[in-house]
Amino acid sequence: MTRRLLLSIFQTLLDHYGPQHWWPADSAFEVMIGAVLTQNTAWLNVERALTRLRERAVLEPSVLAALPLDILAEAIRPTGYFNVKARRLQALSQWVCAQGGMAALKDWQTADLRHGLLGVHGVGPETADDIVLYAFGRPVFVIDAYTRRLFGRLGLSVDGEPYETLRARYEQALPRDACLYNEYHALIVVHAKTTCRTKPACTCCILRKQCPAAVTTEGMED
DNA sequence: ACCCAGGGTCATA
DNA sequence: TATGACCATGGG
């Protein structure tokens, strides 16, 4: 696993798509809410739900923590899984309040933040890392389905590797830089949304140069 | 009509 | 530990 290769891939994506300035939100707490709402859900629908929450003036830990579940579920209806996510948002909001609010959480160590978030119902590894990186600006490398697919195609991982294995490997290979991880994950997502989903894409996209497998699979694509 | 989207939990073997 | 069912709306 070469740092050079990972940085070269990053540079190619950055040159092509430009800085993404993630996460799109007005506050750290809104990042947390968005992270839960976007679970297996298109971001457009998350924006609709966030707008509805804003209209109802409930985008605050103490308010959300006490909001009746049916009201909350109705507000986030556009994201799908609204009953499930209503409970998750409430659990997360109650946890934030119990820890003394967002300001108190900003003093926590990165590992404690991660561990604490993972203890909240409905917050798994990816959602926790989205929050740690994009709400608190800590250097954790987020692994999502796009990351798995891209790095898999580039020959940097194999199918079925556990989340922690991948995260540890990429964090070890790259400098521990929150700004780098921020842009890298955002660029992977943007790239995935604007490129082919079904083909071994590195043979037909801007990352062709960096893809060792492109040599062996060359000619198989149209 | 189909597939999938910036996942996670829970029950089962 | 490893699958599978389930959650559910909206866009292409």
Side-chain angles (χ1 to χ4, degrees):
Chain A
M1 170 75 49
T2 70
R3 165 180 304 208
R4 260 179 43 81
L5 178 54
L6 284 177
L7 289 176
S8 159
I9 293 165
F10 172 73
Q11 195 60 47
T12 300
L13 292 171
L14 184 62
D15 289 345
H16 193 79
Y17 298 105
Q20 300 302 308
H21 306 296
W22 272 22
W23 184 293
D26 293 336
S27 68
F29 183 66
E30 193 178 310
V31 174
M32 300 180 87
I33 301 308
V36 169
L37 290 177
T38 198
Q39 289 170 354
N40 208 42
T41 300
W43 182 253
L44 177 62
N45 292 331
V46 176
E47 288 184 317
R48 292 190 173 112
L50 285 171
T51 297
R52 292 164 67 98
L53 290 171
R54 217 170 283 122
E55 288 168 351
R56 290 159 175 74
V58 294
L59 265 177
E60 234 175 293
S62 57
V63 178
L64 224 46
L67 200 65
L69 280 177
D70 55 335
I71 303 294
L72 180 50
E74 198 282 332
I76 63 172
R77 171 174 286 274
T79 66
Y81 307 134
F82 45 80
N83 289 316
V84 170
K85 287 176 179 174
R87 291 191 177 280
R88 293 180 182 179
L89 290 183
Q90 190 142 87
L92 186 56
S93 302
Q94 288 171 351
W95 179 78
V96 169
C97 291
Q99 312 312 318
M102 295 298 293
L105 287 172
K106 289 179 183 179
D107 294 330
W108 287 31
Q109 298 287 323
T110 300
D112 295 332
L113 261 181
R114 241 180 83 79
H115 187 262
L117 285 165
L118 286 172
V120 178
H121 178 88
V123 177
E126 186 185 335
T127 303
D129 285 344
D130 276 338
I131 293 171
V132 172
L133 176 61
Y134 289 107
F136 293 95
R138 312 300 177 80
V140 295
F141 195 91
V142 178
I143 308 295
D144 67 351
Y146 294 146
T147 311
R148 289 174 182 277
R149 194 177 74 200
L150 178 64
F151 286 160
R153 283 170 170 174
L154 292 172
L156 299 176
S157 63
V158 294
D159 196 35
E161 286 192 271
Y163 187 97
E164 290 303 325
T165 302
L166 294 171
R167 185 174 76 86
R169 185 191 305 151
Y170 298 131
E171 286 184 11
Q172 186 184 12
L174 288 165
R176 278 188 159 56
D177 181 344
C179 292
L180 172 64
Y181 295 171
N182 178 323
E183 281 298 333
Y184 211 142
H185 180 243
L187 285 165
I188 288 172
V189 173
V190 170
H191 174 66
K193 288 201 286 201
T194 56
T195 195
C196 177
R197 284 202 311 277
T198 55
K199 297 175 188 171
C202 49
T203 63
C204 63
C205 80
I206 60 169
L207 292 172
R208 196 166 37 245
K209 283 204 318 275
Q210 280 93 355
C211 183
V215 180
T216 60
T217 60
E218 199 172 6
M220 295 173 56
E221 316 309 318
D222 45 25

